[in-house]
Amino acid sequence: MLRSFPFMVLAVLVYAVVIAVMGQPLGREVLGFGLPSGVRFSLTVSELLLFVATIVLFFEVMNAASAKTNSILNHGLSMLVFLASFIAFLLLPAFGTGTFLIITLMCLVDVIAGYSISILTARRDMTFGAQE
């Protein structure tokens, strides 16, 4: 059951909780310190959200690489997450930011990668099956 769960929904939910529910500004500094080069490094809420979304996307692509029977359900749910994210980006003011647009594009990459990996895996399986 967990294999069919679209993990990108976690990135969308984290954004919703941090920005829409808690009201944290995207430009608020979360972490800051000086580097040996003399430059001050600062991490904002926006950058932290994108970091989390990138990690989630990695695990989602790794999940898509496993050719299981429930992958079709995962692809369908991932498409729903993308559509919901896109609609939220267009219609909800708190979601109409560049940060959320990038998270929405990550959802799209998840959908495209999932379908592409499934097609390539199926093609490879058919090729190996034909040679036997």
Side-chain angles (χ1 to χ4, degrees):
M1 178 66 183
L2 192 61
R3 293 225 111 359
S4 60
F5 181 77
F7 291 106
M8 282 305 295
V9 76
L10 297 176
V12 173
L13 289 176
V14 167
Y15 181 93
V17 168
V18 170
I19 301 304
V21 176
M22 294 174 55
Q24 294 293 323
L26 287 170
R28 182 176 156 254
E29 185 177 303
V30 176
L31 176 69
F33 54 87
L35 297 175
S37 66
V39 175
R40 177 167 167 72
F41 172 80
S42 67
L43 185 69
T44 64
V45 171
S46 175
E47 295 161 344
L48 184 61
L49 288 169
L50 292 175
F51 173 77
V52 168
T54 303
I55 298 300
V56 171
L57 180 61
F58 168 76
F59 285 108
E60 191 65 51
V61 170
M62 294 302 291
N63 188 26
S66 67
K68 301 286 182 186
T69 55
N70 57 3
S71 64
I72 293 174
L73 178 61
N74 179 273
H75 298 327
L77 293 173
S78 293
M79 178 63 87
L80 289 176
V81 171
F82 165 68
L83 290 174
S85 298
F86 187 63
I87 290 169
F89 172 74
L90 293 175
L91 301 179
L92 301 175
F95 292 81
T97 64
T99 300
F100 194 73
L101 175 63
I102 293 171
I103 292 172
T104 302
L105 291 175
M106 288 179 174
C107 291
L108 178 62
V109 167
D110 171 36
V111 170
I112 293 171
Y115 284 119
S116 300
I117 290 169
S118 292
I119 290 168
L120 291 173
T121 302
R123 185 179 298 159
R124 184 196 67 212
D125 290 346
M126 287 176 55
T127 303
F128 285 142
Q131 293 177 353
E132 296 180 326

